[in-house]
Amino acid sequence: MIASVFGKTRPFNYLTIGILLLVFFITKTLITPETDPSWLYFAQEIGLFVVVFASAFLINFIALKNELTKGNNYALLLFFVFLLFFSSYFQNKNIIIANFFLLLALRRLISLKSLLATKEKIFDASFWILLAALFHFWSILYIVLVFIAIILHVSRDYRNWVVPFIALLAVTILFFLANNFLDNSLLNSLSSKTYVSFNFYYFDNLYQRMALALFTAISLFFFVSQIFDIQNKALNMQSSHKTILFSFLLGVGIYVLSANKNNGSLAFCFAPLAIIGANLIEKIDNNWIKEIIVYALVICAIFFYVMQL
C-alpha cells in the first residue's frame, strides 16, 4: 500500500509527509520543552520546522527535476524515514540549517549536467557550503564535492576552478563584517566548533545504538548496490549519480569529524541515501517485496522514534 502510493508523484504524498513531519516535530518539541519558553522560542521552533519541511521537499525536487528517480516520491518517503530513525535531528538547529544549505548546494551541483550558467552554479554551491560551515563547521568538507562536480562536468574551463575561491572571499568578507558588528561573537562561536572529535560513545540509550547499527547496515547495502548498478544508468546520467555517491561519502565524513557528535549529525547523509534508496526500490518488480521493504523501514523508523522520546 505505502509503496504503491509513493510509487507515483501526487499531491496526496506531499500533504501526508508534510502533516506527519509536523506531528512528529511537535511531539519531539513538547517532550523536550524549553525550561522557560518565550515567544522567541516558539518563533524559532516554527522557523526550524519550515526549514525541515523545505529540506524534505527540496530533496524530492532534486531527485525529480534531475531525473535521478523515475517519477516517484520514494526519495521523499525515505528522507522522512531517516529523520524518524534519528529524531535528535529535530533538536539541533545548527544541523538543520547547515543541512538545508548543503541541499541548496547539491541542487546547483547536480544541475551542472546541463552545462548552462556553470560559473554561477559553482559560485552558488560554494557560497551555500561556506555558509553551512558557519553553522556546522565540518560542513566545509562538502566543498570537495564542488571540485568533484567540476571534474565530472566542466573541468576544461580553468576559470571554473577559481570560482570557489571567489565565493570563499565573499563569505569571508561578509563574515568579518558581521563579526565586527556583533563584537567578535561569531568568530568565538565558530572557533569553538573547529576541533575534530572521534568520540563515538555519546549514546543516551540502547535504542540510539540500535538505530545507528540498522542505519549503517541499510546505508552499506544501498551504497554498494548503487556502485554496482551505476554502469547500467544512461551515460548522460552517470555523472549525476556519481555526484550523489560522493555526496553520501562526504556526509559520512562530516559525521565522523564533527565535534559534539550525536546521531543527528548523520543528517548530512540522508538526502543522497534517500535518492540512492529510491533508485533501488523503484527497480524491484515484485510489488509484494517492495511493500514489505517499505513497511519494514517505516515500522522501524516509528519504533526508534517512539523509543527515543
Side-chain angles (χ1 to χ4, degrees):
M1 178 65 177
I2 299 178
S4 60
V5 169
F6 284 86
K8 297 179 181 179
T9 57
R10 58 186 79 184
F12 174 78
N13 296 344
Y14 302 114
L15 180 63
T16 301
I17 294 297
I19 292 174
L20 290 176
L21 267 178
L22 180 61
V23 170
F24 287 114
F25 185 90
I26 290 176
T27 302
K28 188 67 175 179
T29 302
L30 292 177
I31 292 295
T32 53
E34 187 81 359
T35 52
D36 187 22
S38 63
W39 68 268
L40 187 60
Y41 167 76
F42 290 110
Q44 175 181 285
E45 291 302 307
I46 292 171
L48 289 177
F49 171 73
V50 170
V51 176
V52 173
F53 181 84
S55 297
F57 289 92
L58 182 55
I59 291 168
N60 194 68
F61 174 82
I62 292 170
L64 294 176
K65 179 71 173 179
N66 297 284
E67 300 179 342
L68 294 169
T69 57
K70 297 178 180 178
N72 57 66
N73 291 135
Y74 291 138
L76 176 65
L77 176 63
L78 287 176
F79 179 75
F80 170 70
V81 164
F82 296 148
L83 290 184
L84 297 191
F85 264 72
F86 306 118
S87 57
S88 58
Y89 167 82
F90 292 131
Q91 298 170 284
N92 196 319
K93 63 179 180 181
N94 288 332
I95 289 178
I96 290 174
I97 296 170
N99 188 50
F100 179 67
F101 285 152
L102 294 189
L103 289 175
L104 292 174
L106 181 62
R107 169 181 169 269
R108 297 299 272 169
L109 293 176
I110 292 292
S111 67
L112 280 175
K113 180 186 66 172
S114 68
L115 302 180
L116 299 174
T118 57
K119 293 174 182 60
E120 289 87 344
K121 292 175 181 177
I122 293 170
F123 178 87
D124 289 349
S126 303
F127 188 84
W128 290 126
I129 292 167
L130 293 166
L131 277 185
L134 300 181
F135 290 90
H136 189 84
F137 177 75
W138 286 109
S139 299
I140 194 70
L141 194 63
Y142 224 74
I143 201 71
V144 174
L145 192 65
V146 175
F147 295 102
I148 291 173
I150 291 173
I151 292 171
L152 291 174
H153 297 285
V154 289
S155 61
R156 293 183 180 180
D157 188 345
Y158 73 91
R159 291 171 295 183
N160 291 326
W161 296 90
V162 179
V163 174
F165 298 100
I166 298 174
L168 175 60
L169 178 63
V171 172
T172 301
I173 293 172
L174 291 174
F175 172 77
F176 280 106
L177 285 174
N179 183 63
N180 288 334
F181 181 75
L182 296 172
D183 296 324
N184 287 329
S185 61
L186 288 181
L187 184 59
N188 293 332
S189 176
L190 182 63
S191 298
S192 66
K193 305 171 186 175
T194 56
Y195 66 92
V196 176
S197 172
F198 295 110
N199 177 20
F200 294 94
Y201 298 96
Y202 55 81
F203 304 101
D204 295 326
N205 54 61
L206 174 63
Y207 299 103
Q208 290 182 359
R209 295 174 183 268
M210 292 172 60
L212 179 59
L214 181 57
F215 179 78
T216 301
I218 292 170
S219 300
L220 283 173
F221 176 73
F222 282 0
F223 183 79
V224 173
S225 300
Q226 184 76 336
I227 288 177
F228 285 107
D229 186 58
I230 202 166
Q231 61 185 354
N232 299 322
K233 306 292 183 184
L235 287 176
N236 65 329
M237 293 299 301
Q238 289 186 12
S239 58
S240 296
H241 286 283
K242 288 177 182 176
T243 302
I244 294 298
L245 288 173
F246 281 117
S247 173
F248 170 74
L249 291 176
L250 291 170
V252 173
I254 294 171
Y255 164 73
V256 170
L257 295 176
S258 290
N260 301 319
K261 207 181 307 294
N262 59 71
N263 279 350
S265 304
L266 285 163
F268 303 107
C269 306
F270 292 171
L273 194 64
I275 294 172
I276 292 170
N279 271 262
L280 296 180
I281 292 174
E282 69 186 15
K283 286 184 62 180
I284 300 173
D285 295 324
N286 190 308
N287 289 331
W288 281 105
I289 295 177
K290 190 181 294 187
E291 291 288 352
I292 290 171
I293 291 173
V294 172
Y295 268 100
L297 288 171
V298 171
I299 291 171
C300 287
I302 294 174
F303 171 77
F304 286 126
Y305 175 86
V306 171
M307 299 310 295
Q308 292 179 60
L309 287 177

